[in-house]
Amino acid sequence: MVQDPAPSPAPADASARAGTTGIFRAAARNLGWLLASRSVLAILSLFYLGFATRTLGVVDFGRFALITGAAQALATFVGFQTWQIIVQYGVEPIQHGDTPRLARLLRLSAILDMCSALVGAGLTVAILFAWSDGFGIPPDLMRDTLMFAVVQLITIRSTPLGILRLRDKFSLSAVADSMTPIMRFVGAGAAMIFEPTIRGFMLAWALAEIVTAATYWIMVAKSGDLRLLASGRGPWRQVRDENPGIVRFSLSTNASATLGLSSKQIPLLLVGASIGPAAAGAFRLATQLAQALAKLSQMLSRAAFPEIVRAVRTAEPSRLRRILIRTMLASTAAALVILAIVALVGEPILKLVGGKSFGHAYPVLLWLAAAGCFDLATVSLDTVMTALHRAGTVFAIRAVGVLLLFVAAFALMPTYGSTGIAAAVGVGSVAVAILLGFAAARMTRTPRVGAETA
């Protein structure tokens, strides 16, 4: 009897293509759950922003925007990106079944979040008492503003987010994320009826943060990881030795996030401090609408990051190049579609949500949407470089972008006002996109992909 010949092994490039396809399939599944929650956010945000703008008016909405923007900026400034730490260093102990090591990593992340909240609370008191006039905060709102900022800090939920991302529980994360727009919608409606003031809307936003954070931790408790986190005892030195480079990675990702907020929240604060609360209100509404791009890029990053971390440990430069090209093509196409939509219907949406007094913010919306377009097109470069421990390079690139943003803002603001500041955001985003492109091209040309410790 003649035996059939043994099947020849699959070519290496075929297996690489299969692996790359698997990455995209997993990332697409993750992205689907994120899009589900963000779709709820996109629809409900139009309603609760309309409630706030039409109830408060341009000036008071500007004050409200400055208060919430300052609180969010402070939370980002002091907070570590512990979700990235968990995903980056949690994959290996899961693969090796090293539960005690994973527990210690989760506990460290929770402690970092708690310390961030404590440090941020102290900074909040100092900043508000020193520069409350610059934010347009009247004395009767000082206590409420302080309480809102503290709530923003204690509800930092990066650790539970990282745990759910690590476990591929994107559906649970989507449910938790959806609590923010749902509670803001309900709270804004209640404020409009019972307490149509800045204080009423601050209370609504604060309750939304509390409910969202509580939902995240409930999801973690249901998955059993809350007990795991509580059992993760061990000296700091042991955690550091088990996770080489974790200190520099933590500092680099935190610094990069701080620079990222410079292009999101700092421009709003500049408008409020230099032009006034009314201009800040219009700028904030335009920012909220343009941030659909920023949210989409954030979703792509979060959806792809766990899969990329698993893939790049053994990836060859050619495979990384395919990953980068495919994700850049997809994200660029999405960015162009959304930018076209903003250009066509942006002005009517501004007037529909905020009223006719907000229509003059259309040029601001266009510039901010264009900046988000470049961020979205290059999000894959940032994600891959971070997964390869190139967070130091990403930080340096973002530092250059922020520097150019401030230079352009101070050059354009005297002549063009808030539109000049929005254009400066676009200048910074273009610079970051170009530099990330050069860095990624250089990275994928090298014979071997090494890990950068900086």
Side-chain angles (χ1 to χ4, degrees), residues 41-57 61 64-65 68 181 184-185 188-189 192 201 205 281 284-291 349-350 352-355 358:
L41 169 62
I43 296 171
L44 293 182
S45 65
L46 294 178
F47 285 95
Y48 66 67
L49 283 175
F51 294 163
T53 53
R54 292 180 178 272
T55 302
L56 298 177
F61 180 73
F64 172 69
T68 55
R184 282 185 181 180
F185 173 76
M192 185 173 60
F201 283 95
W205 261 238
R284 177 61 172 176
L285 181 58
T287 302
Q288 286 288 111
L289 296 178
Q291 276 184 347
I349 290 178
L350 279 171
L352 176 66
V353 175
F358 286 87

Side-chain angles (χ1 to χ4, degrees), residues 9-218:
D13 58 342
S15 62
R17 285 194 299 271
T20 303
T21 302
I23 293 171
F24 282 101
R25 186 177 294 114
R29 182 184 65 249
N30 298 340
L31 182 61
W33 284 110
L34 291 173
L35 282 173
S37 66
R38 292 302 179 183
S39 297
V40 175
L41 169 62
I43 296 171
L44 293 182
S45 65
L46 294 178
F47 285 95
Y48 66 67
L49 283 175
F51 294 163
T53 53
R54 292 180 178 272
T55 302
L56 298 177
V58 177
V59 176
D60 276 352
F61 180 73
R63 292 194 178 100
F64 172 69
L66 289 171
I67 291 171
T68 55
Q72 291 170 359
L74 187 61
T76 306
F77 177 74
V78 300
F80 286 88
Q81 299 298 298
T82 50
W83 78 270
Q84 288 189 339
I85 298 172
I86 290 172
V87 173
Q88 180 74 21
Y89 291 96
V91 170
E92 187 173 336
I94 285 181
Q95 290 176 340
H96 293 86
D98 194 343
T99 302
R101 176 182 168 185
L102 178 62
R104 288 187 289 270
L105 177 67
L106 300 185
R107 186 180 180 88
L108 170 67
S109 299
I111 291 174
L112 284 176
D113 281 349
M114 183 175 63
C115 292
S116 299
L118 294 175
V119 172
L123 286 175
T124 298
V125 174
I127 291 172
L128 288 181
F129 279 99
W131 292 296
S132 60
D133 292 338
F135 295 130
I137 302 173
D140 60 318
L141 280 178
M142 180 61 70
R143 185 185 67 176
D144 298 293
T145 301
L146 179 61
M147 293 175 62
F148 177 82
V150 170
V151 167
Q152 188 81 42
L153 289 162
I154 64 176
T155 55
I156 292 175
R157 42 193 177 269
S158 190
T159 292
L161 171 66
I163 294 173
L164 295 178
R165 293 284 187 266
L166 181 66
R167 299 293 193 185
D168 281 332
K169 302 291 185 180
F170 279 75
S171 58
L172 300 182
S173 178
V175 171
D177 269 339
S178 298
M179 291 298 104
T180 299
I182 291 172
M183 294 306 300
R184 282 185 181 180
F185 173 76
V186 174
M192 185 173 60
I193 297 172
F194 300 107
E195 183 66 26
T197 63
I198 296 176
R199 180 181 290 109
F201 283 95
M202 286 172 58
L203 177 61
W205 261 238
L207 286 175
E209 294 297 320
I210 292 172
V211 171
T212 302
T215 305
Y216 260 110
W217 284 109
I218 289 172

Side-chain angles (χ1 to χ4, degrees), residues 30 47 106 178 207 227 235 271 280 290 348 368 385 398 413 417 424 429:
N30 298 340
F47 285 95
L106 300 185
S178 298
L207 286 175
R227 290 192 301 271
V271 172
L368 294 177
M385 291 173 69
R398 294 204 176 278
M413 185 172 56
S429 294

Side-chain angles (χ1 to χ4, degrees), residues 11 70 83 115 143 172 174 226 229 251 265 286 297 325 342 362 368 439:
W83 78 270
C115 292
R143 185 185 67 176
L172 300 182
L226 190 58
L229 185 154
L251 295 176
Q265 302 295 346
S297 65
I325 290 174
V342 171
Y362 177 63
L368 294 177

